Amino acid sequence: MARPIWTGVLTFGLVTLPVALYTATEDHTVHFHQLQRGTSDRIRNKRVNERTGKEVDTDKIVKGYEIDEGEYVVVEPEELEEIAPGRSKVIDLAGFVDLHQVEPVYFARTYYVGPRGKEYVKVYELMRSALDRSDKAGIATLTMRGKEYLTALRAQPGVLVLHTLHWADEVRDPADVVPELPERRTKSDGKELRTAEQLIDALTIDWEPADYHDTYEERVKKLVAAKRKGEEVVGEPEPPEATNVIDLMDVLSRSVEQGRSRGRRGGGKPATGKKQTTGRKGSEDLGSLSKAELYERASAAGVPGRSKMTRDQLVKALAGQAA
C-alpha cells in the first residue's frame, strides 16, 4: 500500500473526519540524462554559492525572501508552520458548488482521499454518496508542504478525490493570450452548426481511459532501439492541411456519414448506456442512480443539452421521455 503524503481532518458542518491524501497519478514521461557530446560523461547540477563558486551542502541552505536588491529576510521552515496553526492539518469545506461551474482550466493535481481507520468508513461513505448524488464539489483551502492550495472535493465511484485548483489570479484571460478569437457576438451558420452537432453525436463514444496510451513514449523507445541498431529512423507524416472555409459544409457532411458508417460497421465504440426505464416506476428508479449512470442513459436516449444538466435535470428529462 502507498504511504499518504498528508494526514489531517476533513470538516463539513459539525462533522470531523480523519483522512489521508494519496497521490492519484504517476509520471511515465521518458527521461533523458544530460551527457557531454562525444562522451558518456554525465552532466550534473550542483548547488553553488554564486559569490564564492563553492558547492554548498543541503543542510546549510535556508530560504530567503528578497525585500530589496541583494537584501533578504531568512525564514525557517518551523516559522512557516507556526503562522498557520491548525490550518496545515485541516480541510475545512467552506461550501459546495455545482461541478459544471468549475472550468477545467482551474484544475491542477488530483489526490485520492481515504479514511484513517475502519471506524471512520461509515462517515466517509456517507460523504462520498451525498456528493455523488448531488453532483457537487466541496470547496476548501489546504496548507501542505509550505504552500496553501484552493481545493475541490468530489466523488468518484468508491472513493473521494481532492483536486488542487489554480487561484483566480493565476488563470489568464484567454482574450489576453490567444489572438484571433471570435467575438462573442459572432454566430455560426445555423445549418453548419446543426451538422457539426450531428458529427459530435455520430462520434460520441463511452469514456474508457484504458483505450488510450502514450504513443509518443512508444515512438521514443522505437527511436532509441533503431539508433542502437544503426537502423534508419522514419519520421511521422506531416499533419493534414487546414479545411478551406468554402468546403466546410461538404467536409462536415462527409464526416457525419463517415462517423455513422464506422458505427454501423462496429469500428468504433458508441456510447451504450443502460436500458431506459419507463413509466412512473421508472422515474422512481432513476432517482436512485448516480449522475454518471443518468448521463449514460441520457446519452443513449439522445437527450439534448445533457452535458450541461445537473443530476436533477437529467432525472426530469429522462422521466419526461419515459412518460
Side-chain angles (χ1 to χ4, degrees):
M1 287 291 184
R3 295 181 60 183
I5 63 166
W6 181 93
T7 58
V9 294
L10 171 66
T11 65
F12 51 104
L14 299 178
V15 179
T16 298
L17 172 64
V19 296
L21 298 188
Y22 302 85
T23 302
T25 60
E26 56 186 3
D27 183 17
H28 285 167
T29 303
V30 177
H31 296 282
F32 292 93
H33 292 302
Q34 291 183 321
L35 308 174
Q36 182 173 343
R37 186 178 294 278
T39 73
S40 295
D41 299 339
R42 290 275 303 275
I43 303 299
R44 299 186 181 276
N45 297 320
K46 294 182 179 181
R47 295 178 174 86
V48 176
N49 182 314
E50 69 173 12
R51 179 179 59 82
T52 65
K54 295 182 179 180
E55 188 173 356
V56 180
D57 293 335
T58 302
D59 60 356
K60 293 183 179 180
I61 298 176
V62 296
K63 294 180 181 290
Y65 186 90
E66 189 172 23
I67 57 175
D68 203 352
E69 186 174 355
E71 184 178 354
Y72 298 88
V73 172
V74 174
V75 180
E76 301 293 344
E78 55 269 23
E79 292 176 317
L80 293 174
E81 280 291 325
E82 288 174 1
I83 63 174
R87 296 183 64 203
S88 61
K89 294 297 180 181
V90 179
I91 303 173
D92 185 11
L93 297 177
F96 298 87
V97 301
D98 290 332
L99 272 174
H100 72 269
Q101 291 183 331
V102 185
E103 296 292 343
V105 69
Y106 282 91
F107 288 90
R109 299 198 66 178
T110 302
Y111 300 92
Y112 290 136
V113 182
R116 279 195 294 140
K118 293 182 178 179
E119 63 269 36
Y120 306 119
V121 169
K122 182 177 180 180
V123 179
Y124 176 90
E125 177 55 22
L126 176 67
M127 183 63 179
R128 193 206 65 79
S129 297
L131 281 175
D132 183 41
R133 290 176 62 84
S134 65
D135 194 35
K136 294 184 185 295
I139 302 300
T141 55
L142 165 68
T143 302
M144 179 172 61
R145 295 174 175 173
K147 183 177 179 181
E148 187 173 44
Y149 298 90
L150 180 65
T151 66
L153 181 77
R154 61 183 291 264
Q156 276 189 191
V159 69
L160 286 171
V161 293
L162 187 80
H163 302 284
T164 58
L165 305 175
H166 295 292
W167 300 97
D169 59 0
E170 293 178 327
V171 177
R172 295 176 175 179
D173 186 331
D176 294 337
V177 295
V178 183
E180 308 300 337
L181 283 177
E183 297 181 5
R184 294 185 184 276
R185 61 176 179 269
T186 302
K187 292 185 178 181
S188 298
D189 177 81
K191 189 175 181 180
E192 292 177 344
L193 180 58
R194 287 192 298 272
T195 308
E197 290 173 339
Q198 291 173 1
L199 175 57
I200 292 173
D201 285 338
L203 297 177
T204 296
I205 59 176
D206 282 327
W207 167 233
E208 297 290 349
D211 289 346
Y212 306 89
H213 58 279
D214 187 349
T215 59
Y216 178 70
E217 179 183 1
E218 293 175 355
R219 291 197 295 270
V220 170
K221 290 180 178 179
K222 287 181 180 179
L223 168 65
V224 171
K227 289 180 67 69
R228 184 179 183 182
K229 296 177 182 178
E231 297 175 350
E232 182 181 358
V233 178
V234 180
E236 291 295 308
E238 292 293 321
E241 295 183 2
T243 300
N244 191 317
V245 176
I246 299 175
D247 303 325
L248 181 58
M249 189 61 201
D250 177 59
V251 172
L252 284 171
S253 298
R254 287 189 286 113
S255 297
V256 170
E257 183 55 35
Q258 184 183 65
R260 289 172 176 169
S261 297
R262 187 180 66 178
R264 288 193 293 268
R265 294 194 305 268
K269 291 187 178 180
T272 55
K274 298 182 180 179
K275 185 177 179 181
Q276 185 176 344
T277 56
T278 58
R280 189 172 183 274
K281 180 66 168 63
S283 177
E284 294 171 352
D285 292 340
L286 291 172
S288 65
L289 301 178
S290 68
K291 188 183 180 185
E293 293 171 321
L294 289 167
Y295 185 82
E296 284 185 4
R297 296 195 180 193
S299 179
V303 175
R306 56 188 177 272
S307 62
K308 295 183 179 179
M309 288 185 179
T310 64
R311 184 180 177 280
D312 289 341
Q313 289 171 332
L314 285 169
V315 170
K316 290 179 181 178
L318 288 169
Q321 286 200 353

